[in-house]
Amino acid sequence: MSGNTATQSVTAIVPTAPARPRVRGTSLSQSRAARELGLKRGEFDLAVHLGCIRTVADDGGGGLHVTRAEIDRVSSESGFPETLRERVRAVGTSDGAAMLDVTTARFTRLARLGQVAPVKFYLNRYRAVVWLYLAEELRQYAADEKNAPLLTGRTPEHLRDQLDEGLDLRPRNWRGRHLGFLLRQAEDLWARAAAVASLLDPVQVAEIVRDPYERAYLNRLRPAQPAHGAPGSPAAQVAANITTAEYPDEIDWLRSDLRQTVAEAREHRPAPRPGPKAPSPPGAVQHGVPVVRASNAVRSGELACGQPSHPGEAPEKPRGLLGWLRRRTP
């Protein structure tokens, strides 16, 4: 698809974030933090996604938590909680069109052209994709005078041609925002590489990361994508199509970033690999058969060649192919 459409870029190169501090002292689960801040869980998740609320890792492996200090910081902001709710308010096409004072058809065209970028999506009962947009961003778009021609005038011909060809930048713009969120959450270079890899087809990842142990490590760190339906269901397939890069230039950018990030991660520390297999202790049993340690003579090949294991013992008669060859030797 043509990439000549002027779009509002939502993909940014996020600098490497320092390791997220571990929870020390009092902290709250995300559900408890949402209640204390007067937010619905969806509003809280979006606030974390946008960086309005900072989370920390739990020392006990219980996922991300919110410190009491962060709760106090957010709740002390001017206009809390109304201002926080407004910052994370997401609207659909109908409400978004009303905010821009345009028809829903024009709003959809603007979104497909990348003029407004979705922040969330979900699938309705008919497995149709419903896109949600930040109300705050829509207000800013409407207030910008340079956008007036697209809001009130006729859509330029070259943009109409791209729409007729099927241009729809909503999935791509969502992926750009989502990747920014994943990179902000990443604690080290391997986690950043896993975030980039999560938007690529596994075949693309395998072409870049050829080491199977590195790929396994990336899969282990792979961030969970938004769940929509049971795995393998039609709804899950629709969601997978949205969360996987599709444009050639988008794929090339992600492949290049993955290659560079993995190279930097290798220099920082190698991906974990299985250690050397420990020798079996005397008397151990493997697959129901006692493990017998071979003597130095066996390890050196003496018994295999028919040599006596102890002085005075007759050598064992060679059998098999080796014995047949010896019998035929003059």
Side-chain angles (χ1 to χ4, degrees):
M1 194 62 63
S2 172
N4 295 329
T5 302
T7 65
Q8 290 184 327
S9 176
V10 295
T11 303
I13 299 177
V14 181
T16 303
R20 185 179 293 107
R22 301 290 172 176
V23 174
R24 302 293 182 187
T26 304
S27 66
L28 292 78
S29 68
Q30 295 187 67
S31 298
R32 174 68 181 277
R35 290 195 299 271
E36 292 218 3
L37 292 173
L39 299 176
K40 298 177 181 178
R41 185 54 195 264
E43 293 174 331
F44 175 85
D45 291 341
L46 187 53
V48 172
H49 188 116
L50 297 173
C52 302
I53 300 174
R54 296 188 293 263
T55 57
V56 293
D58 181 16
D59 275 337
L64 299 178
H65 281 58
V66 181
T67 63
R68 173 58 63 183
E70 179 66 4
I71 295 291
D72 295 340
R73 183 192 70 81
V74 174
S75 59
S76 64
E77 292 180 347
S78 177
F80 175 86
E82 287 76 14
T83 53
L84 177 60
R85 288 201 191 100
E86 192 58 30
R87 289 171 66 187
V88 298
R89 186 163 76 93
V91 299
T93 298
S94 296
D95 290 340
M99 293 184 67
L100 298 185
D101 195 20
V102 298
T103 64
T104 56
R106 183 181 287 265
F107 183 90
T108 299
R109 290 197 298 270
L110 292 173
R112 288 178 57 190
L113 290 169
Q115 293 296 309
V116 292
V119 70
K120 291 176 63 176
F121 76 90
Y122 67 90
L123 273 61
N124 63 17
R125 68 177 69 180
Y126 306 107
R127 295 198 294 271
V129 181
V130 178
W131 297 100
L132 299 176
Y133 307 82
L134 281 178
E136 186 176 37
E137 289 184 354
L138 295 182
R139 282 193 296 268
Q140 294 173 359
Y141 184 88
D144 193 337
E145 293 182 358
K146 71 180 182 181
N147 298 321
L150 290 174
L151 292 174
T152 58
R154 183 175 175 83
T155 303
E157 183 177 357
H158 72 283
L159 297 182
R160 293 200 306 271
D161 291 342
Q162 293 185 38
L163 290 172
D164 291 340
E165 292 172 1
L167 176 69
D168 189 352
L169 295 177
R170 289 174 294 183
R172 176 172 183 163
N173 282 343
W174 177 86
R175 287 191 294 269
R177 302 189 80 137
H178 188 61
L179 179 58
F181 165 69
L182 295 178
L183 293 177
R184 286 193 299 271
Q185 293 291 100
E187 296 189 358
D188 64 7
L189 288 168
W190 283 110
R192 289 173 61 83
V196 176
S198 69
L199 299 183
L200 287 169
D201 185 274
V203 175
Q204 302 274 354
V205 176
E207 291 177 357
I208 300 298
V209 187
R210 297 186 177 274
D211 188 299
Y213 295 112
E214 291 180 344
R215 288 201 305 274
Y217 191 43
L218 291 179
N219 286 334
R220 195 170 83 188
L221 297 176
R222 183 187 181 96
Q225 297 287 19
H228 298 275
S233 66
Q237 185 57 51
V238 171
N241 292 339
I242 293 175
T243 58
T244 304
E246 59 175 321
Y247 290 86
D249 63 322
E250 178 189 16
I251 293 172
D252 289 344
W253 184 87
L254 291 171
R255 284 171 60 98
S256 176
D257 194 42
L258 177 61
R259 184 180 293 106
Q260 178 180 347
T261 307
V262 168
E264 294 173 354
R266 289 191 193 111
E267 295 180 359
H268 180 66
R269 62 177 173 84
R273 297 173 181 272
K277 189 175 181 180
S280 301
V285 176
Q286 293 180 355
H287 307 293
V289 180
V291 176
V292 180
R293 287 185 178 274
S295 66
N296 292 334
V298 172
R299 288 196 295 270
S300 65
E302 294 176 1
L303 289 182
C305 296
Q307 298 300 320
S309 58
H310 297 285
E313 290 185 1
E316 182 181 356
K317 183 178 180 180
R319 292 177 292 180
L321 178 60
L322 181 57
W324 182 82
L325 290 173
R326 287 187 177 181
R327 286 198 300 270
R328 292 185 58 86
T329 302

